[in-house]
Amino acid sequence: MELFDMHVAIIMDGNGRWATTRGMQRLIGHARGAERVRSIVEAAVDNGLGHLTLFAFSTENWKRSEAEVKGLMALFKRFIRAEKANLFTKGVKVRFIGSRDGLDTALLDLMDGLVAQTQDCARLVLTIAINYGGRDEITRAIGRIAKKVETGALSSDDITEKLVTDHLDTRDLPEPDLVIRTSGEYRVSNFLPWQSVYSEYLFEQTTWPDFTPELFASILTEYKNRDRRYGAVLQK
Ligand code: FPP
């Protein structure tokens, strides 16, 4: 598979531990994590990757301390303001998945502005999951389908896997080929459960702030070659 056809999704874990093991506040770890987002997105563009999806904030993350949630929301805003021009110049088309409920209007406006400004970019599709949970996404999809059944636009006989897929936040995206989780946790944590049933998983020990573009590039090369060998075996 060529990297342009590939979709890599990343659970960016370990910002907190990166900071606390260095005697710093957790928010400093998140700030380092945001810098890492910038360098990994650039690496994705440089390596010719087609789709990159990043898990930035889960529906469960609201349970963190008020200060941490506020800090993360401020960081998302700062990131969008600071990176908008750069993302556009690099040809990165940005989209968001997750529920808009609970996000403040200033953040929603920035998100909408970034999506609008980059809508015609075509080098990399960057999907950022904010206030995202797979079960929440599936539940919202079921709600949308039920409404259509209620109004008679659909019948219950029309409900197929494709119909469900077409009502998810990710309806315009291919399924992820590879899901990476950093920081040595072996969990999926409600990230793309419907979409990743056939994905490969890679669990990296490195924390997200230490996940370098070089490491990312070597994972992409490894995966691409592994996939090609597999293709060759199939053709025998
Ligand atoms: C998990 O680390 C990380 C998060 C909950 C937030 C992810 C956010 C970023 C990488 C920063 C900014 C992102 C964007 C898109 C600008 P953790 O806090 O759970 O780490 P821990 O498990 O060590 O506590």
mmCIF file of all heavy atoms in Angstrom, residues 11-20 26 29-38 54-58 61 64 68 72 75-80 96 128-130 181-183 185 187 207-209, ligand 1:
data_model
loop_
_atom_site.group_PDB
_atom_site.id
_atom_site.type_symbol
_atom_site.label_atom_id
_atom_site.label_comp_id
_atom_site.label_asym_id
_atom_site.label_seq_id
_atom_site.Cartn_x
_atom_site.Cartn_y
_atom_site.Cartn_z
ATOM 1 N N ILE A 11 -3.497 7.500 19.251
ATOM 2 C CA ILE A 11 -3.921 7.856 20.609
ATOM 3 C C ILE A 11 -2.689 8.458 21.282
ATOM 4 O O ILE A 11 -1.717 7.756 21.591
ATOM 5 C CB ILE A 11 -4.423 6.610 21.379
ATOM 6 C CG1 ILE A 11 -5.572 5.932 20.618
ATOM 7 C CG2 ILE A 11 -4.839 6.990 22.810
ATOM 8 C CD1 ILE A 11 -6.041 4.609 21.219
ATOM 9 N N MET A 12 -2.739 9.781 21.454
ATOM 10 C CA MET A 12 -1.550 10.520 21.933
ATOM 11 C C MET A 12 -1.523 10.480 23.462
ATOM 12 O O MET A 12 -2.000 11.386 24.116
ATOM 13 C CB MET A 12 -1.624 11.968 21.444
ATOM 14 C CG MET A 12 -1.863 12.105 19.947
ATOM 15 S SD MET A 12 -1.952 13.832 19.409
ATOM 16 C CE MET A 12 -3.527 14.338 20.054
ATOM 17 N N ASP A 13 -0.948 9.438 24.010
ATOM 18 C CA ASP A 13 -1.002 9.251 25.455
ATOM 19 C C ASP A 13 0.354 9.544 26.099
ATOM 20 O O ASP A 13 1.399 9.409 25.461
ATOM 21 C CB ASP A 13 -1.428 7.799 25.741
ATOM 22 C CG ASP A 13 -1.895 7.616 27.169
ATOM 23 O OD1 ASP A 13 -2.104 8.615 27.878
ATOM 24 O OD2 ASP A 13 -2.047 6.457 27.582
ATOM 25 N N GLY A 14 0.305 9.945 27.370
ATOM 26 C CA GLY A 14 1.540 10.065 28.144
ATOM 27 C C GLY A 14 2.033 11.479 28.384
ATOM 28 O O GLY A 14 3.116 11.667 28.949
ATOM 29 N N ASN A 15 1.235 12.484 28.005
ATOM 30 C CA ASN A 15 1.662 13.873 28.268
ATOM 31 C C ASN A 15 1.830 14.111 29.764
ATOM 32 O O ASN A 15 2.787 14.759 30.203
ATOM 33 C CB ASN A 15 0.604 14.867 27.772
ATOM 34 C CG ASN A 15 0.453 14.861 26.273
ATOM 35 O OD1 ASN A 15 1.314 14.355 25.565
ATOM 36 N ND2 ASN A 15 -0.645 15.426 25.799
ATOM 37 N N GLY A 16 0.842 13.628 30.539
ATOM 38 C CA GLY A 16 0.859 13.841 31.988
ATOM 39 C C GLY A 16 2.094 13.219 32.620
ATOM 40 O O GLY A 16 2.820 13.866 33.390
ATOM 41 N N ARG A 17 2.343 11.949 32.258
ATOM 42 C CA ARG A 17 3.507 11.249 32.825
ATOM 43 C C ARG A 17 4.817 11.895 32.384
ATOM 44 O O ARG A 17 5.761 11.985 33.161
ATOM 45 C CB ARG A 17 3.499 9.771 32.415
ATOM 46 C CG ARG A 17 2.761 8.901 33.414
ATOM 47 C CD ARG A 17 2.418 7.567 32.825
ATOM 48 N NE ARG A 17 1.365 7.720 31.827
ATOM 49 C CZ ARG A 17 1.032 6.772 30.956
ATOM 50 N NH1 ARG A 17 1.695 5.629 30.931
ATOM 51 N NH2 ARG A 17 0.045 6.970 30.109
ATOM 52 N N TRP A 18 4.862 12.338 31.140
ATOM 53 C CA TRP A 18 6.077 13.007 30.656
ATOM 54 C C TRP A 18 6.408 14.176 31.584
ATOM 55 O O TRP A 18 7.558 14.380 31.961
ATOM 56 C CB TRP A 18 5.862 13.522 29.222
ATOM 57 C CG TRP A 18 7.079 14.145 28.622
ATOM 58 C CD1 TRP A 18 8.036 13.532 27.873
ATOM 59 C CD2 TRP A 18 7.493 15.514 28.776
ATOM 60 N NE1 TRP A 18 9.030 14.426 27.540
ATOM 61 C CE2 TRP A 18 8.717 15.655 28.076
ATOM 62 C CE3 TRP A 18 6.970 16.629 29.426
ATOM 63 C CZ2 TRP A 18 9.417 16.856 28.009
ATOM 64 C CZ3 TRP A 18 7.669 17.825 29.363
ATOM 65 C CH2 TRP A 18 8.876 17.936 28.659
ATOM 66 N N ALA A 19 5.371 14.925 31.978
ATOM 67 C CA ALA A 19 5.584 16.116 32.821
ATOM 68 C C ALA A 19 5.883 15.728 34.268
ATOM 69 O O ALA A 19 6.868 16.214 34.846
ATOM 70 C CB ALA A 19 4.356 17.014 32.748
ATOM 71 N N THR A 20 5.057 14.840 34.840
ATOM 72 C CA THR A 20 5.213 14.565 36.286
ATOM 73 C C THR A 20 6.538 13.865 36.582
ATOM 74 O O THR A 20 7.156 14.132 37.607
ATOM 75 C CB THR A 20 4.021 13.762 36.845
ATOM 76 O OG1 THR A 20 3.769 12.652 35.996
ATOM 77 C CG2 THR A 20 2.768 14.600 36.946
ATOM 78 N N ARG A 26 1.177 18.923 34.792
ATOM 79 C CA ARG A 26 0.655 18.120 33.673
ATOM 80 C C ARG A 26 0.412 18.970 32.413
ATOM 81 O O ARG A 26 0.635 18.520 31.299
ATOM 82 C CB ARG A 26 -0.658 17.443 34.091
ATOM 83 C CG ARG A 26 -0.474 16.364 35.148
ATOM 84 C CD ARG A 26 -1.822 15.795 35.584
ATOM 85 N NE ARG A 26 -2.572 15.258 34.456
ATOM 86 C CZ ARG A 26 -2.386 14.049 33.928
ATOM 87 N NH1 ARG A 26 -1.484 13.227 34.441
ATOM 88 N NH2 ARG A 26 -3.117 13.646 32.916
ATOM 89 N N GLY A 29 3.134 19.180 30.056
ATOM 90 C CA GLY A 29 3.190 17.984 29.198
ATOM 91 C C GLY A 29 2.249 18.112 28.012
ATOM 92 O O GLY A 29 2.598 17.753 26.883
ATOM 93 N N HIS A 30 1.059 18.660 28.273
ATOM 94 C CA HIS A 30 0.115 18.840 27.159
ATOM 95 C C HIS A 30 0.649 19.865 26.155
ATOM 96 O O HIS A 30 0.465 19.706 24.948
ATOM 97 C CB HIS A 30 -1.259 19.274 27.688
ATOM 98 C CG HIS A 30 -1.955 18.207 28.485
ATOM 99 N ND1 HIS A 30 -2.066 16.907 28.035
ATOM 100 C CD2 HIS A 30 -2.571 18.229 29.690
ATOM 101 C CE1 HIS A 30 -2.721 16.178 28.943
ATOM 102 N NE2 HIS A 30 -3.028 16.960 29.956
ATOM 103 N N ALA A 31 1.281 20.920 26.693
ATOM 104 C CA ALA A 31 1.849 21.928 25.784
ATOM 105 C C ALA A 31 2.941 21.301 24.910
ATOM 106 O O ALA A 31 3.018 21.548 23.702
ATOM 107 C CB ALA A 31 2.408 23.105 26.578
ATOM 108 N N ARG A 32 3.769 20.443 25.524
ATOM 109 C CA ARG A 32 4.780 19.720 24.736
ATOM 110 C C ARG A 32 4.107 18.799 23.727
ATOM 111 O O ARG A 32 4.573 18.630 22.601
ATOM 112 C CB ARG A 32 5.689 18.874 25.637
ATOM 113 C CG ARG A 32 6.682 19.660 26.420
ATOM 114 C CD ARG A 32 7.611 20.413 25.443
ATOM 115 N NE ARG A 32 8.628 21.094 26.188
ATOM 116 C CZ ARG A 32 9.880 20.659 26.334
ATOM 117 N NH1 ARG A 32 10.273 19.552 25.729
ATOM 118 N NH2 ARG A 32 10.744 21.325 27.043
ATOM 119 N N GLY A 33 2.983 18.225 24.170
ATOM 120 C CA GLY A 33 2.205 17.351 23.287
ATOM 121 C C GLY A 33 1.690 18.105 22.068
ATOM 122 O O GLY A 33 1.682 17.591 20.952
ATOM 123 N N ALA A 34 1.274 19.345 22.284
ATOM 124 C CA ALA A 34 0.772 20.156 21.167
ATOM 125 C C ALA A 34 1.903 20.476 20.180
ATOM 126 O O ALA A 34 1.709 20.456 18.965
ATOM 127 C CB ALA A 34 0.138 21.438 21.691
ATOM 128 N N GLU A 35 3.098 20.735 20.719
ATOM 129 C CA GLU A 35 4.249 20.950 19.823
ATOM 130 C C GLU A 35 4.519 19.696 19.016
ATOM 131 O O GLU A 35 4.884 19.741 17.834
ATOM 132 C CB GLU A 35 5.503 21.314 20.636
ATOM 133 C CG GLU A 35 5.490 22.742 21.135
ATOM 134 C CD GLU A 35 6.624 22.994 22.134
ATOM 135 O OE1 GLU A 35 7.683 22.331 22.044
ATOM 136 O OE2 GLU A 35 6.433 23.849 23.017
ATOM 137 N N ARG A 36 4.325 18.559 19.671
ATOM 138 C CA ARG A 36 4.547 17.283 18.989
ATOM 139 C C ARG A 36 3.525 17.072 17.881
ATOM 140 O O ARG A 36 3.853 16.534 16.829
ATOM 141 C CB ARG A 36 4.495 16.158 20.042
ATOM 142 C CG ARG A 36 4.947 14.860 19.557
ATOM 143 C CD ARG A 36 6.253 14.976 18.815
ATOM 144 N NE ARG A 36 7.425 14.906 19.658
ATOM 145 C CZ ARG A 36 8.639 15.346 19.273
ATOM 146 N NH1 ARG A 36 8.798 15.914 18.088
ATOM 147 N NH2 ARG A 36 9.668 15.228 20.067
ATOM 148 N N VAL A 37 2.307 17.518 18.133
ATOM 149 C CA VAL A 37 1.279 17.423 17.082
ATOM 150 C C VAL A 37 1.789 18.147 15.835
ATOM 151 O O VAL A 37 1.722 17.628 14.723
ATOM 152 C CB VAL A 37 -0.070 18.022 17.552
ATOM 153 C CG1 VAL A 37 -1.049 18.173 16.392
ATOM 154 C CG2 VAL A 37 -0.689 17.148 18.645
ATOM 155 N N ARG A 38 2.327 19.352 16.049
ATOM 156 C CA ARG A 38 2.806 20.116 14.898
ATOM 157 C C ARG A 38 3.886 19.330 14.126
ATOM 158 O O ARG A 38 3.820 19.183 12.908
ATOM 159 C CB ARG A 38 3.360 21.469 15.337
ATOM 160 C CG ARG A 38 3.775 22.240 14.129
ATOM 161 C CD ARG A 38 4.488 23.573 14.357
ATOM 162 N NE ARG A 38 4.448 24.121 15.673
ATOM 163 C CZ ARG A 38 5.528 24.304 16.444
ATOM 164 N NH1 ARG A 38 6.717 23.960 15.997
ATOM 165 N NH2 ARG A 38 5.421 24.837 17.623
ATOM 166 N N LEU A 54 -6.016 12.160 14.946
ATOM 167 C CA LEU A 54 -5.411 12.298 16.274
ATOM 168 C C LEU A 54 -6.492 12.411 17.349
ATOM 169 O O LEU A 54 -7.437 13.202 17.210
ATOM 170 C CB LEU A 54 -4.532 13.557 16.305
ATOM 171 C CG LEU A 54 -3.385 13.592 15.298
ATOM 172 C CD1 LEU A 54 -2.671 14.944 15.371
ATOM 173 C CD2 LEU A 54 -2.385 12.454 15.538
ATOM 174 N N PHE A 55 -6.321 11.656 18.425
ATOM 175 C CA PHE A 55 -7.276 11.671 19.535
ATOM 176 C C PHE A 55 -6.821 12.740 20.532
ATOM 177 O O PHE A 55 -5.874 12.542 21.284
ATOM 178 C CB PHE A 55 -7.269 10.292 20.203
ATOM 179 C CG PHE A 55 -8.513 9.968 20.995
ATOM 180 C CD1 PHE A 55 -9.596 10.828 21.059
ATOM 181 C CD2 PHE A 55 -8.606 8.750 21.666
ATOM 182 C CE1 PHE A 55 -10.744 10.501 21.774
ATOM 183 C CE2 PHE A 55 -9.747 8.407 22.385
ATOM 184 C CZ PHE A 55 -10.818 9.286 22.443
ATOM 185 N N ALA A 56 -7.487 13.892 20.523
ATOM 186 C CA ALA A 56 -7.040 15.010 21.354
ATOM 187 C C ALA A 56 -7.793 15.115 22.678
ATOM 188 O O ALA A 56 -7.223 15.550 23.686
ATOM 189 C CB ALA A 56 -7.187 16.320 20.583
ATOM 190 N N PHE A 57 -9.083 14.738 22.668
ATOM 191 C CA PHE A 57 -9.869 14.889 23.905
ATOM 192 C C PHE A 57 -11.049 13.923 23.824
ATOM 193 O O PHE A 57 -11.822 13.952 22.873
ATOM 194 C CB PHE A 57 -10.377 16.330 24.040
ATOM 195 C CG PHE A 57 -10.935 16.671 25.396
ATOM 196 C CD1 PHE A 57 -10.098 17.118 26.416
ATOM 197 C CD2 PHE A 57 -12.294 16.531 25.652
ATOM 198 C CE1 PHE A 57 -10.612 17.431 27.674
ATOM 199 C CE2 PHE A 57 -12.817 16.846 26.916
ATOM 200 C CZ PHE A 57 -11.967 17.292 27.922
ATOM 201 N N SER A 58 -11.170 13.063 24.816
ATOM 202 C CA SER A 58 -12.229 12.053 24.775
ATOM 203 C C SER A 58 -13.437 12.504 25.588
ATOM 204 O O SER A 58 -13.337 13.410 26.430
ATOM 205 C CB SER A 58 -11.711 10.719 25.319
ATOM 206 O OG SER A 58 -11.681 10.755 26.728
ATOM 207 N N ASN A 61 -12.623 12.521 29.103
ATOM 208 C CA ASN A 61 -11.638 13.477 29.628
ATOM 209 C C ASN A 61 -12.255 14.633 30.414
ATOM 210 O O ASN A 61 -11.553 15.339 31.149
ATOM 211 C CB ASN A 61 -10.743 14.035 28.508
ATOM 212 C CG ASN A 61 -9.712 13.048 28.002
ATOM 213 O OD1 ASN A 61 -9.299 13.108 26.854
ATOM 214 N ND2 ASN A 61 -9.273 12.121 28.849
ATOM 215 N N ARG A 64 -11.501 14.921 34.195
ATOM 216 C CA ARG A 64 -10.234 15.427 34.758
ATOM 217 C C ARG A 64 -10.503 16.719 35.531
ATOM 218 O O ARG A 64 -11.584 17.283 35.458
ATOM 219 C CB ARG A 64 -9.242 15.669 33.631
ATOM 220 C CG ARG A 64 -8.902 14.360 32.957
ATOM 221 C CD ARG A 64 -7.760 14.495 32.023
ATOM 222 N NE ARG A 64 -7.416 13.152 31.541
ATOM 223 C CZ ARG A 64 -6.277 12.828 30.994
ATOM 224 N NH1 ARG A 64 -5.340 13.720 30.836
ATOM 225 N NH2 ARG A 64 -6.049 11.595 30.595
ATOM 226 N N GLU A 68 -7.267 21.246 34.450
ATOM 227 C CA GLU A 68 -6.678 20.537 33.303
ATOM 228 C C GLU A 68 -7.587 20.643 32.063
ATOM 229 O O GLU A 68 -7.103 20.876 30.954
ATOM 230 C CB GLU A 68 -6.417 19.063 33.655
ATOM 231 C CG GLU A 68 -5.678 18.355 32.535
ATOM 232 C CD GLU A 68 -5.096 16.993 32.912
ATOM 233 O OE1 GLU A 68 -5.042 16.671 34.117
ATOM 234 O OE2 GLU A 68 -4.694 16.257 31.993
ATOM 235 N N LEU A 72 -6.546 22.404 28.628
ATOM 236 C CA LEU A 72 -6.557 21.710 27.332
ATOM 237 C C LEU A 72 -7.369 22.486 26.303
ATOM 238 O O LEU A 72 -6.945 22.647 25.159
ATOM 239 C CB LEU A 72 -7.127 20.288 27.494
ATOM 240 C CG LEU A 72 -6.126 19.240 28.007
ATOM 241 C CD1 LEU A 72 -6.845 17.964 28.442
ATOM 242 C CD2 LEU A 72 -5.089 18.912 26.930
ATOM 243 N N LEU A 75 -5.451 25.309 25.137
ATOM 244 C CA LEU A 75 -4.381 24.822 24.255
ATOM 245 C C LEU A 75 -4.898 24.539 22.840
ATOM 246 O O LEU A 75 -4.234 24.874 21.853
ATOM 247 C CB LEU A 75 -3.818 23.536 24.873
ATOM 248 C CG LEU A 75 -2.463 23.029 24.414
ATOM 249 C CD1 LEU A 75 -1.390 24.078 24.592
ATOM 250 C CD2 LEU A 75 -2.101 21.769 25.205
ATOM 251 N N PHE A 76 -6.089 23.964 22.749
ATOM 252 C CA PHE A 76 -6.660 23.702 21.415
ATOM 253 C C PHE A 76 -6.859 25.017 20.658
ATOM 254 O O PHE A 76 -6.563 25.121 19.476
ATOM 255 C CB PHE A 76 -8.001 22.948 21.515
ATOM 256 C CG PHE A 76 -7.906 21.591 22.167
ATOM 257 C CD1 PHE A 76 -8.951 21.072 22.940
ATOM 258 C CD2 PHE A 76 -6.766 20.804 22.008
ATOM 259 C CE1 PHE A 76 -8.856 19.829 23.545
ATOM 260 C CE2 PHE A 76 -6.663 19.548 22.610
ATOM 261 C CZ PHE A 76 -7.707 19.064 23.383
ATOM 262 N N LYS A 77 -7.367 26.020 21.396
ATOM 263 C CA LYS A 77 -7.599 27.319 20.752
ATOM 264 C C LYS A 77 -6.274 27.925 20.274
ATOM 265 O O LYS A 77 -6.157 28.406 19.156
ATOM 266 C CB LYS A 77 -8.269 28.298 21.725
ATOM 267 C CG LYS A 77 -9.718 27.942 22.015
ATOM 268 C CD LYS A 77 -10.314 28.893 23.041
ATOM 269 C CE LYS A 77 -11.564 28.312 23.635
ATOM 270 N NZ LYS A 77 -12.013 28.947 24.854
ATOM 271 N N ARG A 78 -5.289 27.874 21.184
ATOM 272 C CA ARG A 78 -3.990 28.458 20.846
ATOM 273 C C ARG A 78 -3.391 27.729 19.639
ATOM 274 O O ARG A 78 -2.828 28.332 18.733
ATOM 275 C CB ARG A 78 -3.055 28.318 22.061
ATOM 276 C CG ARG A 78 -1.995 29.391 22.109
ATOM 277 C CD ARG A 78 -1.124 29.270 23.367
ATOM 278 N NE ARG A 78 -1.876 28.939 24.567
ATOM 279 C CZ ARG A 78 -1.435 28.144 25.544
ATOM 280 N NH1 ARG A 78 -0.235 27.578 25.470
ATOM 281 N NH2 ARG A 78 -2.162 27.896 26.614
ATOM 282 N N PHE A 79 -3.542 26.406 19.639
ATOM 283 C CA PHE A 79 -2.991 25.599 18.542
ATOM 284 C C PHE A 79 -3.620 26.008 17.207
ATOM 285 O O PHE A 79 -2.927 26.212 16.220
ATOM 286 C CB PHE A 79 -3.249 24.114 18.814
ATOM 287 C CG PHE A 79 -2.763 23.205 17.715
ATOM 288 C CD1 PHE A 79 -1.446 22.760 17.688
ATOM 289 C CD2 PHE A 79 -3.615 22.800 16.697
ATOM 290 C CE1 PHE A 79 -0.995 21.929 16.672
ATOM 291 C CE2 PHE A 79 -3.176 21.972 15.663
ATOM 292 C CZ PHE A 79 -1.862 21.532 15.656
ATOM 293 N N ILE A 80 -4.944 26.147 17.199
ATOM 294 C CA ILE A 80 -5.627 26.473 15.935
ATOM 295 C C ILE A 80 -5.178 27.854 15.452
ATOM 296 O O ILE A 80 -4.837 28.033 14.283
ATOM 297 C CB ILE A 80 -7.161 26.395 16.092
ATOM 298 C CG1 ILE A 80 -7.577 24.949 16.382
ATOM 299 C CG2 ILE A 80 -7.871 26.927 14.836
ATOM 300 C CD1 ILE A 80 -9.054 24.754 16.699
ATOM 301 N N PHE A 96 -12.855 17.762 12.011
ATOM 302 C CA PHE A 96 -12.995 17.373 13.419
ATOM 303 C C PHE A 96 -14.062 16.307 13.546
ATOM 304 O O PHE A 96 -15.059 16.320 12.813
ATOM 305 C CB PHE A 96 -13.380 18.591 14.277
ATOM 306 C CG PHE A 96 -12.276 19.611 14.381
ATOM 307 C CD1 PHE A 96 -12.186 20.661 13.467
ATOM 308 C CD2 PHE A 96 -11.306 19.500 15.361
ATOM 309 C CE1 PHE A 96 -11.161 21.591 13.534
ATOM 310 C CE2 PHE A 96 -10.268 20.428 15.440
ATOM 311 C CZ PHE A 96 -10.199 21.474 14.523
ATOM 312 N N ILE A 128 -9.046 15.672 13.675
ATOM 313 C CA ILE A 128 -8.768 15.820 15.101
ATOM 314 C C ILE A 128 -10.028 15.433 15.867
ATOM 315 O O ILE A 128 -11.110 15.982 15.613
ATOM 316 C CB ILE A 128 -8.331 17.263 15.432
ATOM 317 C CG1 ILE A 128 -7.119 17.654 14.564
ATOM 318 C CG2 ILE A 128 -7.982 17.384 16.916
ATOM 319 C CD1 ILE A 128 -6.621 19.086 14.768
ATOM 320 N N ALA A 129 -9.872 14.475 16.776
ATOM 321 C CA ALA A 129 -11.010 14.012 17.575
ATOM 322 C C ALA A 129 -11.045 14.803 18.876
ATOM 323 O O ALA A 129 -10.154 14.674 19.719
ATOM 324 C CB ALA A 129 -10.875 12.514 17.848
ATOM 325 N N ILE A 130 -12.049 15.662 19.010
ATOM 326 C CA ILE A 130 -12.209 16.465 20.230
ATOM 327 C C ILE A 130 -13.596 16.190 20.797
ATOM 328 O O ILE A 130 -14.593 16.267 20.066
ATOM 329 C CB ILE A 130 -12.064 17.979 19.953
ATOM 330 C CG1 ILE A 130 -10.617 18.306 19.530
ATOM 331 C CG2 ILE A 130 -12.432 18.800 21.199
ATOM 332 C CD1 ILE A 130 -10.319 19.799 19.416
ATOM 333 N N ARG A 181 -0.801 3.685 19.665
ATOM 334 C CA ARG A 181 -0.998 4.297 20.983
ATOM 335 C C ARG A 181 0.369 4.448 21.631
ATOM 336 O O ARG A 181 1.123 3.480 21.729
ATOM 337 C CB ARG A 181 -1.900 3.448 21.876
ATOM 338 C CG ARG A 181 -2.121 4.138 23.221
ATOM 339 C CD ARG A 181 -3.125 3.451 24.102
ATOM 340 N NE ARG A 181 -3.422 4.301 25.250
ATOM 341 C CZ ARG A 181 -4.601 4.439 25.813
ATOM 342 N NH1 ARG A 181 -5.630 3.766 25.358
ATOM 343 N NH2 ARG A 181 -4.776 5.235 26.842
ATOM 344 N N THR A 182 0.649 5.640 22.091
ATOM 345 C CA THR A 182 1.946 5.875 22.728
ATOM 346 C C THR A 182 1.844 5.625 24.228
ATOM 347 O O THR A 182 0.748 5.453 24.773
ATOM 348 C CB THR A 182 2.434 7.322 22.490
ATOM 349 O OG1 THR A 182 1.470 8.231 23.023
ATOM 350 C CG2 THR A 182 2.650 7.601 21.022
ATOM 351 N N SER A 183 2.994 5.564 24.861
ATOM 352 C CA SER A 183 3.087 5.562 26.315
ATOM 353 C C SER A 183 2.774 4.230 27.005
ATOM 354 O O SER A 183 2.472 4.210 28.196
ATOM 355 C CB SER A 183 2.194 6.674 26.874
ATOM 356 O OG SER A 183 2.500 6.915 28.198
ATOM 357 N N GLU A 185 0.437 1.939 27.127
ATOM 358 C CA GLU A 185 -0.858 1.433 27.619
ATOM 359 C C GLU A 185 -1.465 0.572 26.521
ATOM 360 O O GLU A 185 -1.509 0.984 25.362
ATOM 361 C CB GLU A 185 -1.819 2.598 27.922
ATOM 362 C CG GLU A 185 -1.314 3.601 28.929
ATOM 363 C CD GLU A 185 -1.357 3.084 30.355
ATOM 364 O OE1 GLU A 185 -1.903 1.983 30.583
ATOM 365 O OE2 GLU A 185 -0.824 3.775 31.237
ATOM 366 N N ARG A 187 -4.589 -0.294 25.623
ATOM 367 C CA ARG A 187 -6.046 -0.120 25.603
ATOM 368 C C ARG A 187 -6.446 0.672 24.371
ATOM 369 O O ARG A 187 -5.646 1.428 23.824
ATOM 370 C CB ARG A 187 -6.510 0.695 26.831
ATOM 371 C CG ARG A 187 -6.434 0.003 28.137
ATOM 372 C CD ARG A 187 -7.145 0.839 29.207
ATOM 373 N NE ARG A 187 -6.563 2.152 29.386
ATOM 374 C CZ ARG A 187 -5.533 2.414 30.170
ATOM 375 N NH1 ARG A 187 -4.960 1.445 30.858
ATOM 376 N NH2 ARG A 187 -5.069 3.643 30.292
ATOM 377 N N THR A 207 6.441 8.094 25.371
ATOM 378 C CA THR A 207 5.326 9.016 25.656
ATOM 379 C C THR A 207 5.126 9.940 24.440
ATOM 380 O O THR A 207 6.039 10.116 23.634
ATOM 381 C CB THR A 207 5.639 9.922 26.874
ATOM 382 O OG1 THR A 207 6.835 10.645 26.607
ATOM 383 C CG2 THR A 207 5.762 9.118 28.157
ATOM 384 N N TRP A 208 3.937 10.531 24.341
ATOM 385 C CA TRP A 208 3.647 11.359 23.164
ATOM 386 C C TRP A 208 4.641 12.521 22.988
ATOM 387 O O TRP A 208 5.141 12.740 21.877
ATOM 388 C CB TRP A 208 2.195 11.852 23.198
ATOM 389 C CG TRP A 208 1.900 12.780 22.067
ATOM 390 C CD1 TRP A 208 1.645 14.102 22.139
ATOM 391 C CD2 TRP A 208 1.858 12.435 20.662
ATOM 392 N NE1 TRP A 208 1.447 14.622 20.882
ATOM 393 C CE2 TRP A 208 1.576 13.622 19.962
ATOM 394 C CE3 TRP A 208 2.050 11.249 19.941
ATOM 395 C CZ2 TRP A 208 1.466 13.669 18.576
ATOM 396 C CZ3 TRP A 208 1.944 11.296 18.557
ATOM 397 C CH2 TRP A 208 1.656 12.485 17.890
ATOM 398 N N PRO A 209 5.011 13.264 24.038
ATOM 399 C CA PRO A 209 5.962 14.370 23.793
ATOM 400 C C PRO A 209 7.325 13.886 23.267
ATOM 401 O O PRO A 209 8.051 14.658 22.645
ATOM 402 C CB PRO A 209 6.111 15.032 25.183
ATOM 403 C CG PRO A 209 4.827 14.715 25.869
ATOM 404 C CD PRO A 209 4.481 13.314 25.409
HETATM 405 C C1 FPP B 1 -3.185 11.924 27.008
HETATM 406 O O1 FPP B 1 -2.119 12.091 27.912
HETATM 407 C C2 FPP B 1 -3.384 13.134 26.272
HETATM 408 C C3 FPP B 1 -4.502 13.889 26.290
HETATM 409 C C4 FPP B 1 -5.693 13.585 27.086
HETATM 410 C C5 FPP B 1 -4.582 15.140 25.528
HETATM 411 C C6 FPP B 1 -4.004 15.118 24.166
HETATM 412 C C7 FPP B 1 -3.657 16.485 23.834
HETATM 413 C C8 FPP B 1 -2.543 16.884 23.212
HETATM 414 C C9 FPP B 1 -1.537 15.986 22.641
HETATM 415 C C10 FPP B 1 -2.258 18.323 23.134
HETATM 416 C C11 FPP B 1 -2.824 19.141 22.113
HETATM 417 C C12 FPP B 1 -3.508 18.524 20.977
HETATM 418 C C13 FPP B 1 -3.825 19.228 19.883
HETATM 419 C C14 FPP B 1 -4.594 18.597 18.782
HETATM 420 C C15 FPP B 1 -3.413 20.608 19.716
HETATM 421 P P1 FPP B 1 -2.417 11.932 29.455
HETATM 422 O O2 FPP B 1 -2.618 13.259 30.028
HETATM 423 O O3 FPP B 1 -3.535 10.957 29.628
HETATM 424 O O4 FPP B 1 -1.096 11.315 29.941
HETATM 425 P P2 FPP B 1 -0.934 10.378 31.219
HETATM 426 O O5 FPP B 1 -1.620 9.084 30.879
HETATM 427 O O6 FPP B 1 0.541 10.242 31.317
HETATM 428 O O7 FPP B 1 -1.553 11.095 32.376
#
